[in-house]
Amino acid sequence: MVEKNRTSNSKIILSVLFFGWIVSYIDRTVISLSLVQISGDLSLDASKLGVILSAFFMGYALMQIPGGWLADRFGSRRVITTAILFWSIFTAFTGLAWSLTSLILIRFLFGIGEGGYPSASTKAISDYFPVAKRTKAQSTMMSSNALGGALAPIICAPLLVWLGWRHVFWVVSLLGIIVVVCFLLSTRTKGEYTGSDTAHKPSKEEYKQLLQNSYLWKVLFVFFFINITNWGLSSWMPTYLMQVLGIDLKSVGLISAIPSLFMALGMVISGRIINKFGSYAKYGVIVGIFIMGIFLYLMTLATSISQVITYQCITFIFTSFIMSFIFTLPHRVMEQKVVGTAFGIINFGGQAAGIFSPMIMGALIASSGGSYKSAFLFLTICCLIAGIIAFLLPSSKKSPKVTEQPTVKTVS
């Protein structure tokens, strides 16, 4: 009966973490839909808008490793609660921005707030799920990224038309408060599988071994170049659809959701089969990366909306397998006590890509007089570099033995 109740509570916690990821994705991507309105209000060109987009990723990337360390050290519950409250405050502040400088600073601090959530939520999976269920739970949770990407334009595009960009940021900031309340309620009872309290703090030697893990650093660079493409597309596609293909804002909301829905479905499916690939997972990643590269290149030649969206959907389907491989890796090959830090290191690489991708694409678009061909070609090249690095990964990687703690621990 105790085990059944624990399993049921774990599913509730997973649902809340899933919803938290969706909210974080809505909060961070609504600005991409707002770029045209912000540009008009603050008189900003594409290169300056690229800097604003990158400001978030600078704070977000910088917080990845500290966020993982804090979660391992002080427990996922405290870090998750603090992170959501912090980012919700600065989501609201975004709607108060009055200049380029203020917007850059607010988005940077907003990124700091969101930066603690990825590693802490990954640590929570380790805290509240048994070893055998962590890979499936992690991939399910991370599929929320794609679903959030699909929901964000559907929800926010009509609100932007109705309320304007400032008021929309105030509205979506309230979603974070709802997540905090739900998370605190769902975790108020005891029921961790392994715990992350002071009795299980990682030692200096364990941190040292983690930092010396070459496999971890290679995956970090794969994620960096893959996310160059992901953040480049998510940041600039709404503007591309409006300015180049002449689609209105409401229609962009619906059209932008289609590729993200394909990615969400791909994440759920791939997360359930990733363990079955075993040592062959590396080759699935390599094939997926090069297929991504082909269809990113085809986007540079596309001349219609249907072609662009079709190529992006195919790109995102193969992206989902790569993401499942990367996001579940800490649970598969790292010690449980350093899962948060390990995920933080990997995710630092992926989110650091967001610092460079929007700025570089903005500069390429501005320098080419509004053409997106050079920007899409840049994404293609980055994708091919990721494939080369993935080829250098070991063909097999044995997961270290993780000893399951049978004793129920107190939530931090």
Side-chain angles (χ1 to χ4, degrees):
M1 180 63 72
V2 174
E3 183 66 24
K4 183 178 180 180
N5 290 337
R6 256 194 335 191
T7 300
S8 177
N9 193 54
S10 295
K11 291 180 179 179
I12 295 172
I13 294 171
L14 178 61
S15 298
V16 176
L17 293 172
F18 185 93
F19 181 54
W21 269 102
I22 288 178
V23 171
S24 75
Y25 211 91
I26 290 173
D27 286 358
R28 82 180 69 162
T29 57
V30 65
I31 196 166
S32 296
L33 293 165
S34 308
L35 286 181
V36 173
Q37 292 185 2
I38 292 173
S39 175
D41 283 356
L42 302 181
S43 300
L44 304 174
D45 62 18
S47 61
K48 291 177 181 177
L49 292 174
V51 173
I52 292 170
L53 292 171
S54 294
F56 160 78
F57 291 103
M58 188 173 294
Y60 192 62
L62 288 175
M63 194 59 189
Q64 292 303 310
I65 297 176
W69 180 83
L70 289 169
D72 285 333
R73 198 75 175 170
F74 301 107
S76 59
R77 193 170 189 257
R78 293 189 184 119
V79 177
I80 287 173
T81 303
T82 303
I84 297 175
L85 288 174
F86 194 90
W87 97 51
S88 297
I89 290 171
F90 284 96
T91 298
F93 280 178
T94 303
L96 300 174
W98 62 92
S99 66
L100 174 63
T101 302
S102 66
L103 199 49
I104 290 173
L105 178 60
I106 290 169
R107 296 304 290 180
F108 173 78
L109 293 174
F110 168 69
I112 291 287
E114 279 210 357
Y117 188 72
S119 299
S121 60
T122 296
K123 182 67 174 178
I125 294 295
S126 185
D127 289 342
Y128 298 108
F129 284 83
V131 173
K133 296 183 178 180
R134 287 174 191 164
T135 296
K136 181 180 177 180
Q138 178 77 5
S139 62
T140 299
M141 181 178 72
M142 298 310 294
S143 69
S144 60
N145 281 235
L147 185 58
L151 291 176
I154 294 174
I155 294 171
C156 296
L159 289 176
L160 284 165
V161 174
W162 178 37
L163 300 174
W165 69 274
R166 294 185 184 277
H167 293 85
V168 169
F169 282 101
W170 300 341
V171 171
V172 298
S173 68
L174 298 176
L175 295 174
I177 307 302
I178 297 173
V179 176
V180 168
V181 173
C182 292
F183 181 70
L184 291 176
L185 290 174
S186 65
T187 57
R188 70 185 186 278
T189 57
K190 299 178 181 180
E192 286 182 294
Y193 277 91
T194 54
S196 56
D197 57 12
T198 55
H200 296 283
K201 289 181 179 179
S203 65
K204 291 183 179 179
E205 183 61 29
E206 286 171 317
Y207 281 128
K208 182 179 178 180
Q209 291 176 359
L210 180 67
L211 294 174
Q212 292 176 344
N213 190 319
S214 61
Y215 187 79
L216 183 75
W217 292 103
K218 289 175 182 177
V219 172
L220 179 152
F221 282 106
V222 171
F223 196 18
F224 174 81
F225 286 102
I226 285 297
N227 248 18
I228 286 278
T229 68
N230 289 335
W231 287 126
L233 289 175
S234 64
S235 297
W236 283 104
M237 279 302 290
T239 307
Y240 171 75
L241 292 173
M242 284 186 282
Q243 292 185 340
V244 177
L245 299 182
I247 304 173
D248 63 82
L249 183 55
K250 284 186 178 180
S251 299
V252 164
L254 294 173
I255 293 172
S256 298
I258 297 172
S260 295
L261 288 173
F262 274 87
M263 180 183 278
L265 179 62
M267 285 287 291
V268 172
I269 295 173
S270 61
R272 281 154 175 72
I273 64 174
I274 195 74
N275 279 336
K276 297 180 181 180
F277 276 76
S279 61
Y280 297 102
K282 161 189 170 179
Y283 300 105
V285 169
I286 294 171
V287 171
I289 289 174
F290 281 101
I291 291 176
M292 282 178 60
I294 291 171
F295 284 95
L296 282 168
Y297 176 72
L298 289 176
M299 287 179 69
T300 67
L301 308 176
T303 57
S304 67
I305 298 171
S306 59
Q307 286 180 332
V308 170
I309 298 303
T310 299
Y311 296 153
Q312 191 178 358
C313 287
I314 296 172
T315 298
F316 276 10
I317 288 172
F318 288 95
T319 300
S320 65
F321 179 87
I322 300 161
M323 291 301 185
S324 289
F325 173 82
I326 293 171
F327 288 148
T328 61
L329 184 136
H331 292 300
R332 290 184 285 110
V333 303
M334 302 297 168
E335 292 287 353
Q336 189 271 337
K337 287 194 287 185
V338 294
V339 159
T341 305
F343 187 86
I345 291 172
I346 293 172
N347 210 33
F348 168 77
Q351 307 317 318
I355 300 173
F356 302 100
S357 187
M359 282 196 299
I360 294 174
M361 286 190 69
L364 290 171
I365 294 165
S367 64
S368 60
S371 172
Y372 281 69
K373 288 188 176 181
S374 59
F376 287 144
L377 185 59
F378 161 70
L379 300 184
T380 303
I381 293 171
C382 289
C383 193
L384 296 178
I385 294 173
I388 294 171
I389 298 172
F391 187 78
L392 300 176
L393 290 172
S395 295
S396 63
K397 182 71 181 179
K398 293 184 179 180
S399 301
K401 183 178 180 181
V402 180
T403 303
E404 189 69 19
Q405 302 290 334
T407 306
V408 177
K409 298 296 180 181
T410 302
V411 176
S412 302

